[in-house]
Amino acid sequence: EVQLVESGGVLVQPGGSLRLSCAASGFMFSSYWVHWVRQVPGKGLEWVARIKNDGSSTTYADSVKGRFTISRDNAKNTMYLQMNSLRDEDTAVYYCAKAQYDHSPLAYWGQGTLVTVSS
Amino acid sequence: EIVLTQSPGTLSLSPGERATLSCRASQSVISSYLAWYQQRPGQAPTLLMYGASSRATGIPDRFSGSGSATDFTLIITRVEAEDSAVYYCQQYGSSPWTFGQGSKVE
């Protein structure tokens, strides 16, 4: 069974840092691109970042570029999102999702982890 | 970036009725790299359609998609109670990937 399990979401102060994890199982993790998508509670979806299957290419939304870093460890079947200089507007549920290729839809999503940025 | 605008915002239907959801792009979507997702309350999104008109695995055939370039449509024939959800379109042809604001079917 395909599973993506996010973790690491907590309450953090503005300006702080946080690392989210996404643990994968049930499929060949090293063969898939993986993405982060976020959703402010009660609002729409916003794509955040993606990383190629071998980690050699990353892309970010302008809203997080220079503050967030996506990475992966294929030996541990895990993807990460390092979030620095957090702002109130980064408060959201963060989902990880997998895609087969560069231009592929997000075929499977995790259940999300809530990040709250507040003083 | 490509802006996706969905309409209507909310659609209220009775079981058995037809739902027509629209997604318009500010620029042409490359190779019809357009997907639709369903998000039920309290759940993560799930993939419904990709490539504008291909159903994802396990999606019933009452869901269909069509369109190209800047105009795309998701149709649900014979809506069922379990179809109550928010539906999002997404383009994955041009970076940054973008989503529409969602259409709620109730």
Side-chain angles (χ1 to χ4, degrees), chain A residues 35 37 39 43-47 50 59-62 95 102-107 109-111, chain B residues 33 35 37 39 42-47 50 88 90 92-101:
Chain A
H35 298 240
V37 177
Q39 184 173 38
K43 302 297 183 182
L45 301 168
E46 180 188 14
W47 176 81
R50 65 179 181 145
T59 316
Y60 299 90
D62 285 346
Y95 296 100
D102 184 6
H103 294 287
S104 288
L106 303 176
W109 301 55
Q111 287 304 305
Chain B
Y33 286 144
Y37 301 87
Q39 187 176 34
Q43 296 186 17
T46 57
L47 178 65
Y50 62 94
Y88 295 94
Q90 180 224 6
Y92 51 95
S94 304
S95 186
W97 289 189
T98 49
F99 290 89
Q101 81 278 20

Side-chain angles (χ1 to χ4, degrees), chain A residues 51-109:
Chain A
I51 185 166
K52 192 177 177 181
N53 61 314
D54 63 1
S56 63
S57 175
T58 58
T59 316
Y60 299 90
D62 285 346
S63 58
V64 306
K65 200 174 295 182
R67 300 188 299 123
F68 290 10
T69 302
I70 189 172
S71 62
R72 65 191 295 163
D73 184 338
N74 285 345
K76 294 183 177 179
N77 289 343
T78 301
M79 174 179 66
Y80 305 98
L81 186 67
Q82 178 66 42
M83 309 164 67
N84 297 331
S85 302
L86 283 162
R87 305 167 180 168
D88 291 350
E89 56 264 33
D90 295 319
T91 294
V93 174
Y94 284 75
Y95 296 100
C96 62
K98 73 180 186 72
Q100 181 115 42
Y101 306 114
D102 184 6
H103 294 287
S104 288
L106 303 176
Y108 190 83
W109 301 55

Side-chain angles (χ1 to χ4, degrees), chain B residues 66-103:
Chain B
S66 64
S68 63
T70 60
D71 285 295
F72 300 89
T73 302
L74 175 70
I75 291 175
I76 314 172
T77 57
R78 303 180 308 278
V79 167
E80 300 182 5
E82 66 181 23
D83 300 332
S84 292
V86 179
Y87 293 82
Y88 295 94
C89 58
Q90 180 224 6
Q91 66 81 23
Y92 51 95
S94 304
S95 186
W97 289 189
T98 49
F99 290 89
Q101 81 278 20
S103 287

Side-chain angles (χ1 to χ4, degrees), chain A residues 3-7 21-25 29 76-79 96:
Chain A
Q3 281 202 317
L4 292 169
V5 179
E6 304 90 338
S7 62
S21 299
C22 170
S25 60
F29 180 70
K76 294 183 177 179
N77 289 343
T78 301
M79 174 179 66
C96 62

